[in-house]
Amino acid sequence: MVGDGDNADDIVQDTFLVLYEALDKGTSIEYPGTWLYKVTYHKSLDCLQRKKRLIPLETANRSTIEYQEDTASLEKKEQEALINAILSRMKPRERALLALYSEYCSYKEMAEATGLRFTSVGKTLSRALNALEKQLKQHGYEAY
């Protein structure tokens, strides 16, 4: 969601610190997985707002030619760069829904993590998936 491994690592560490502090205070967390998604989502939004930046397309499409790489590996890196570039242009909430969807979260978990109403999750997720699919088709790929 934040497009930077170092920032993502910091967010994960901060999230588990918040969890540790909450448990240390005796807070009861009924659904820890959903709770972690929600905290991570909000920390990611905070990070994006602090930095006010997205990954430029040029950065995501940087040269992937390395010594003795085979074609399949190169193709996979190009696909990952394309997907990251497409995701970086989406709204943070849409990126979060796509990430939660890829983790097989339920609509209820998605709603709790993102703050969306349960009834809005399906529509918003559908729009995000359609936008992703449209962009992939424009670049000659097919979503499955």
Side-chain angles (χ1 to χ4, degrees):
M1 206 174 134
V2 294
D4 178 20
D6 291 335
N7 284 335
D9 289 343
D10 290 343
I11 290 168
V12 170
Q13 185 174 1
D14 289 348
T15 299
F16 280 101
L17 268 172
V18 171
L19 173 64
Y20 175 79
E21 289 170 355
L23 293 175
D24 193 43
K25 291 179 184 176
T27 304
S28 174
I29 300 172
E30 190 171 342
Y31 301 103
T34 303
W35 187 90
L36 286 169
Y37 279 123
K38 187 172 187 170
V39 173
T40 304
Y41 171 74
H42 287 289
K43 290 209 167 284
S44 297
L45 287 178
D46 291 345
C47 178
L48 289 172
Q49 287 177 350
R50 272 193 320 271
K51 303 234 177 208
K52 291 283 186 192
R53 69 172 180 85
L54 297 175
I55 304 171
L57 186 58
E58 297 80 25
T59 303
N61 287 332
R62 68 183 175 270
S63 175
T64 56
I65 300 173
E66 292 182 15
Y67 299 104
Q68 304 297 321
E69 277 192 310
D70 61 86
T71 308
S73 177
L74 198 65
E75 175 80 13
K76 184 177 179 182
K77 285 187 178 192
E78 288 173 358
Q79 290 172 352
E80 289 173 0
L82 174 63
I83 290 170
N84 285 334
I86 292 169
L87 292 175
S88 72
R89 293 186 300 250
M90 296 179 126
K91 295 176 184 173
R93 185 169 278 171
E94 292 171 340
R95 285 191 304 238
L97 284 175
L98 290 172
L100 294 169
Y101 178 74
S102 72
E103 295 289 328
Y104 305 103
C105 290
S106 69
Y107 280 18
K108 180 182 178 188
E109 291 172 320
M110 290 181 204
E112 290 174 2
T114 61
L116 278 172
R117 285 179 293 182
F118 177 79
T119 55
S120 300
V121 170
K123 189 174 193 176
T124 307
L125 177 61
S126 177
R127 287 181 182 161
L129 286 168
N130 288 337
L132 177 62
E133 183 178 21
K134 182 180 176 184
Q135 290 292 318
L136 287 172
K137 282 184 179 180
Q138 286 180 353
H139 291 88
Y141 291 99
E142 193 147 334
Y144 59 94

